[in-house]
Amino acid sequence: MFEDLRIICWPDPRLLRKSEAVESFDENLRALAARMLELMRQAKGVGLAAPQVGHNIRLFVMNSTAEPGKERIYVNPVLVDPDGEEEGEEGCLSLPGINVKVVRNKLITLEAKDISGKPLQQRESGYVARIWQHEFDHLNGTLLTDRMGPAAKLTNRKTLDDLRVRYQAEHPKALPAGKKSRR
Ligand code: CO
């Protein structure tokens, strides 16, 4: 059903939108999550949010260990009770070639629904908490590009320019990122 899905890259506008809450926990959602896990595994990623495959819904998948059976799926997640801060390096499958140091909460609680709509609550620290915060950002249209300081923007300028050129070549009718059509 979702065989044609691919991971999309910045500056695709679908990555910059706020995603909508999931309402139906149906076979469609299950198939989408399964395909996202497959794409994430193929790309050797640890997390993937639905907007990264062009679906603007509040769903993300992850596997912090890459071990089979350790996959997690979260629907309509909310992050609460943050504690502490720590800086760590992050990459993103939608921003290939970019690595940015980002300050995240050290400890945080995630409340969400599982794939069948059952509520769940988990509290984690460190790497898992960092992945949650990165993927949650995606659901609000926030990317590593928004988390970059001036120095990181300068360091990554060439890579971002290349990604923009690539996007425009693949989408010849698209307007330059950040500009809106007047029509
Ligand atoms: Co990402």
Side-chain angles (χ1 to χ4, degrees):
M1 192 191 300
F2 294 110
E3 293 82 7
D4 294 341
L5 279 196
R6 296 289 176 268
I7 296 173
I8 59 175
C9 288
W10 183 92
D12 193 303
R14 290 169 289 180
L15 291 167
L16 311 176
R17 284 181 201 144
K18 186 171 158 67
S19 288
E20 303 286 334
V22 170
E23 313 241 338
S24 339
F25 293 80
D26 54 12
E27 201 42 55
N28 240 353
L29 187 72
R30 218 173 271 273
L32 176 61
R35 177 64 179 144
M36 284 169 58
L37 281 166
E38 186 176 51
L39 287 168
M40 181 186 79
R41 196 163 45 237
Q42 285 167 357
K44 301 196 189 314
V46 291
L48 188 67
Q52 293 182 274
V53 294
H55 284 257
N56 284 107
I57 58 166
R58 303 187 79 81
L59 155 73
F60 72 81
V61 302
M62 62 178 276
N63 186 346
S64 63
T65 65
E67 271 173 67
K70 302 274 186 180
E71 298 86 2
R72 303 188 193 188
I73 300 170
Y74 299 108
V75 186
N76 299 342
V78 181
L79 294 171
V80 293
D81 295 332
D83 197 16
E85 287 188 341
E86 97 193 320
E87 194 179 56
E89 200 154 86
E90 294 180 21
C92 180
L93 294 176
S94 295
L95 283 161
I98 303 270
N99 282 288
V100 193
K101 282 188 178 154
V102 185
V103 176
R104 301 283 190 190
N105 290 120
K106 220 183 253 186
L107 189 68
I108 206 156
T109 299
L110 184 147
E111 295 173 353
K113 300 280 173 66
D114 72 7
I115 192 69
S116 26
K118 209 176 85 194
L120 62 85
Q121 190 191 58
Q122 296 168 357
R123 189 159 177 82
E124 294 270 11
S125 62
Y127 193 43
V128 171
R130 178 169 296 276
I131 298 170
W132 284 351
Q133 292 167 80
H134 178 111
E135 300 312 327
F136 184 78
D137 267 357
H138 274 297
L139 306 184
N140 293 328
T142 301
L143 298 178
L144 289 181
T145 46
D146 303 299
R147 300 280 182 197
M148 282 178 183
K153 272 191 183 138
L154 209 60
T155 314
N156 291 298
R157 202 175 64 185
K158 174 78 169 69
T159 313
L160 291 173
D161 283 348
D162 290 349
L163 283 171
R164 197 180 278 118
V165 166
R166 197 175 89 183
Y167 179 79
Q168 279 162 358
E170 288 168 1
H171 304 81
K173 285 182 184 157
L175 292 162
K179 296 202 179 141
K180 292 207 169 72
S181 168
R182 289 209 180 83
R183 277 169 292 168

